[in-house]
Structure formats: C-alpha cells, structure tokens
Amino acid sequence: MVGGRSERGSRRHAAAASVVVPFPRGAAGARLDLVRFVPSGRSLLATFGVLVAIGLAYWLAYSTPLFAVHSVVVRGAPPALQRDVTRVTEHLMGRSLVSINAREVEGTIRALPAVAGASVDRAFPNTLVVKIAPERPVAVIRSGTSAWLASGAGKVIRGIPVGTERGMPRLWLRRGATIRLGGQIPAGLVSATRALAAAHEAGLGGRVKGVRTTGEELTLMLRHGTEVRLGRDADIGMKLVIARRVLALVGSDTAYVDVSVPQRPVAG
C-alpha cells in the first residue's frame, strides 16, 4: 500500500509538472495574404500605359517644333547690353525649350563683361525669358585716346567713345598699362573705384567729380568744390555715411570734410 500510494503520488506529480497550454488558432481570414499585395494585370497595364504616354509627350516636346523658341525676351538690361545678350542667344532660336540647358545659357551670358548676374526661364510655349543684373559703372578709365567703363570692383565693363559719359569721374592709367575688356583695371586704381561705389551706396555718387590718391590716402572731389578726405582704404562705407551727415550741416563754401578718423570728423 505504502509503495502503491507512493507510485500513484509520483504519477500525479509528474502529470502536474508537464502541462500543455494550447494557443488559440487565428480566425479564418486573419492569415497574411500576400496575394493582395501583388498588383493585378490591369494595374500593371495602366502603369505601363502612363509611362509610355509620358515618354511620348517628352519626345514630342523635345524633338518637334511644338515648343520651339520663337523669341528671346531680355529684361533688366540697358539697350547696349540687351543687344549683346540677344547676340549670344540667337543660336537658340528654333530649338525646343525642353532641350535648352538653362545653366549653360546663364554661363554664356554671365561671360559678357557688362553682366553681373543672369537667370533663364522658359515661358511656354515658345518664349525664353532672360533676366539680367547689369554691372554698374562707377568711373571712366582713360588712357590716351581710349576710354572704358569700370565697375566698383575694378572690372572693365565696356569701351566707350572719348568724351561721352561726362557725368562720371575719370581715372587715368599710367603710360604702358594695358586694359582687357572683362578684365581688371590696375590694382592701384581699384581702391578708387571701390570708394566711388561706396559713394553711390551712401547717396553721394552723383556729387563726386573725381578721386585723388596720394600714397594710401583717398580723397573724393565733389562738384561744388568740397573735398571729402577718406584717409586709408578702410571702413569707407561708414566714413562716407558720416561725411554725408556732416555735409548736410556745413555750408557749400566748406573746403574739406575730413573723415579719415570717423569718430572725429573735421570740417574746414
């Protein structure tokens, strides 16, 4: 008995130690159905048809005269520069707007000496629009019987007939100096053109008759006779703003305004 009870007790303990826990089966239809994610034949055919239509439309736009350039509209350029831009873009006439590389055209236009910046836009169906930011001339560079316009950065913009642009200050080259259209004026004159550009920014551009350089000292000569002494080529913009305020306070018979030390301007 004792032995029998011990054997039956062992069996009950073994049965209790190994319990099988059944997991619930998923409901019908809850299984992942991969077939649903495979596009149908009709969807594939529709997608292929759209791609073919896009390709055909691009081919028509690229290869046919449907979007051929009939005119190039130039905006923001003075007449002389407008003619130059028209000249360098005339080869685009008849080409498809779709086939034109805007970056290449912009690079060609920016290579013109009188252009500071350019952007090209397509105006469908047949127009190319070119927007120009022209270089602003601040001085006439003179050498013998030749004359050029120069920007504030010292870039040679274009040649002009001698005697024209009389309202613009003159800067004279030393004998033997060479000028190249689109190139830079001699380094010794760049500080003068920068000062003239700063004078325009300060609202004094129309009052400046010329620039005198003595060593590293810069002086602007105004049309009514007053000199604006700037000193060294540093803080020119701030000096000219101060000079404009001082000029508004003094009489027209003032011989000079010295702003070489901008914290202590002097008029005499």
XYZ file of all heavy atoms in Angstrom, residues 5 11 15 19 28-29 32 50 58-59 63 76 99 108-109 145 181 201 204 209 222 243-244 247 251 253 256 262:
219
model
N 0.840 3.758 -2.921
C 0.488 5.185 -2.829
C 1.656 6.046 -3.288
O 1.469 7.039 -3.966
C 0.120 5.502 -1.371
C -1.320 5.085 -1.046
C -1.842 5.872 0.106
N -1.213 5.512 1.367
C -1.587 4.467 2.130
N -2.452 3.580 1.702
N -1.038 4.284 3.301
N 3.105 9.664 -9.993
C 2.486 9.899 -11.303
C 1.704 11.199 -11.330
O 1.702 11.943 -12.313
C 1.566 8.725 -11.642
C 2.307 7.449 -11.952
C 1.348 6.302 -12.113
N 2.095 5.064 -12.352
C 1.550 3.856 -12.302
N 0.255 3.724 -11.989
N 2.270 2.771 -12.527
N 2.360 14.369 -13.764
C 1.325 14.924 -14.655
C 1.158 16.406 -14.419
O 0.956 17.200 -15.331
C 0.003 14.180 -14.413
N 2.403 20.435 -18.204
C 1.081 20.903 -18.636
C 1.200 21.480 -20.035
O 2.097 22.288 -20.311
C 0.541 21.983 -17.671
C -0.804 22.504 -18.166
C 0.409 21.408 -16.280
N -10.455 32.583 -39.176
C -10.347 32.405 -40.630
C -10.202 33.772 -41.293
O -10.919 34.701 -40.979
C -11.595 31.686 -41.152
N -9.266 33.916 -42.206
C -9.070 35.182 -42.919
C -8.057 36.082 -42.261
O -7.714 37.120 -42.800
N -1.878 36.210 -43.119
C -1.298 37.189 -44.047
C -1.465 36.681 -45.468
O -0.918 35.648 -45.832
C 0.188 37.403 -43.717
C 0.923 38.453 -44.550
C 0.293 39.833 -44.336
C 2.399 38.482 -44.181
N 0.765 54.733 -68.779
C 1.112 56.086 -68.335
C 2.560 56.411 -68.652
O 2.894 57.502 -69.137
C 0.849 56.228 -66.817
C 1.440 57.534 -66.288
C -0.643 56.178 -66.537
N 7.277 63.661 -73.832
C 8.616 64.258 -73.760
C 9.279 64.253 -75.125
O 9.919 65.238 -75.523
C 9.458 63.491 -72.749
C 10.832 64.083 -72.554
C 11.022 65.179 -71.717
C 11.946 63.560 -73.219
C 12.283 65.735 -71.539
C 13.196 64.110 -73.045
C 13.362 65.196 -72.204
O 14.605 65.749 -72.043
N 9.134 63.152 -75.860
C 9.734 63.080 -77.197
C 9.126 64.139 -78.117
O 9.842 64.801 -78.870
C 9.516 61.693 -77.781
C 10.068 61.569 -79.184
C 11.362 61.315 -79.543
C 9.341 61.721 -80.410
N 11.496 61.301 -80.912
C 10.266 61.543 -81.470
C 8.005 61.985 -80.708
C 9.891 61.629 -82.806
C 7.625 62.071 -82.042
C 8.561 61.893 -83.068
N 11.630 66.899 -79.608
C 12.062 66.674 -80.983
C 11.220 67.386 -82.040
O 11.631 67.444 -83.196
C 12.070 65.166 -81.289
O 12.864 64.470 -80.360
N 15.804 93.813 -67.830
C 16.728 94.363 -66.845
C 18.032 94.886 -67.412
O 18.882 95.347 -66.642
N 14.765 71.217 -74.633
C 16.139 70.765 -74.869
C 17.189 71.767 -74.405
O 18.379 71.451 -74.393
C 16.338 70.483 -76.359
O 16.322 71.695 -77.104
N 26.934 81.359 -70.369
C 27.330 82.111 -71.565
C 27.037 83.588 -71.396
O 27.854 84.449 -71.764
C 26.584 81.570 -72.799
O 26.911 80.184 -72.975
C 26.968 82.334 -74.043
N 25.888 83.904 -70.819
C 25.507 85.305 -70.649
C 26.367 85.980 -69.590
O 26.792 87.133 -69.748
C 24.013 85.403 -70.283
C 23.162 84.890 -71.446
C 23.621 86.832 -69.941
C 21.697 84.730 -71.118
N 43.827 107.982 -76.232
C 42.587 108.260 -76.968
C 41.542 107.165 -76.751
O 40.607 107.045 -77.543
C 42.888 108.386 -78.470
O 43.502 107.166 -78.931
C 43.824 109.549 -78.745
N 39.068 94.007 -72.011
C 37.636 94.020 -71.771
C 37.243 92.789 -70.964
O 37.581 91.659 -71.305
C 36.893 94.029 -73.114
C 35.401 94.376 -73.061
C 35.197 95.774 -72.524
C 34.779 94.246 -74.447
N 26.469 104.074 -52.768
C 25.681 103.441 -51.718
C 25.301 104.442 -50.626
O 24.220 104.350 -50.034
C 26.466 102.277 -51.092
C 26.735 101.114 -52.040
C 25.455 100.409 -52.461
O 24.485 100.398 -51.675
O 25.424 99.873 -53.583
N 26.037 109.689 -52.299
C 26.890 110.796 -52.747
C 27.392 110.613 -54.175
O 28.139 111.459 -54.672
C 28.111 110.932 -51.815
C 27.831 111.379 -50.380
C 29.112 111.297 -49.553
C 27.277 112.795 -50.359
N 33.024 114.347 -58.429
C 33.613 114.722 -59.720
C 34.862 113.910 -60.019
O 35.164 113.613 -61.187
C 33.951 116.216 -59.713
C 34.586 116.725 -60.996
C 34.824 118.224 -60.934
C 35.869 118.579 -59.900
N 36.208 120.036 -59.917
N 34.177 116.756 -54.730
C 32.779 116.964 -55.070
C 32.638 118.090 -56.094
O 33.533 118.937 -56.251
C 31.977 117.290 -53.815
C 32.060 116.257 -52.683
C 31.081 116.618 -51.567
C 31.777 114.852 -53.181
N 30.333 111.419 -43.637
C 30.611 112.595 -44.458
C 29.320 113.208 -44.994
O 29.170 114.442 -45.027
C 31.533 112.214 -45.610
N 28.379 112.370 -45.399
C 27.106 112.892 -45.907
C 26.367 113.669 -44.816
O 25.788 114.734 -45.085
C 26.248 111.747 -46.422
C 24.935 112.209 -47.019
C 24.075 111.043 -47.438
N 22.811 111.514 -47.976
C 21.808 110.718 -48.351
N 21.948 109.401 -48.241
N 20.691 111.234 -48.819
N 28.188 117.008 -44.345
C 27.937 117.914 -45.471
C 26.569 118.571 -45.381
O 26.376 119.703 -45.845
C 28.069 117.150 -46.793
C 29.484 116.755 -47.199
C 29.458 115.755 -48.360
C 30.297 117.991 -47.599
N 28.189 124.675 -44.800
C 27.854 125.455 -45.980
C 28.550 124.943 -47.228
O 29.493 124.136 -47.164
N 30.495 126.514 -49.053
C 31.843 127.062 -49.192
C 32.870 126.304 -48.351
O 34.026 126.710 -48.264
C 31.847 128.540 -48.790
C 31.366 128.747 -47.358
O 30.742 127.810 -46.799
O 31.615 129.838 -46.800
N 36.801 121.400 -47.046
C 37.003 119.960 -46.906
C 36.212 119.410 -45.739
O 35.866 120.132 -44.788
C 38.492 119.626 -46.738
C 39.086 120.084 -45.426
C 39.037 119.274 -44.292
C 39.686 121.345 -45.315
C 39.565 119.694 -43.085
C 40.214 121.780 -44.119
C 40.148 120.954 -43.003
O 40.654 121.385 -41.806
N 36.847 108.386 -38.464
C 35.401 108.589 -38.494
C 34.789 108.979 -37.150
O 33.732 109.606 -37.107
C 34.859 107.247 -38.996
C 35.958 106.264 -38.762
C 37.227 107.023 -38.871
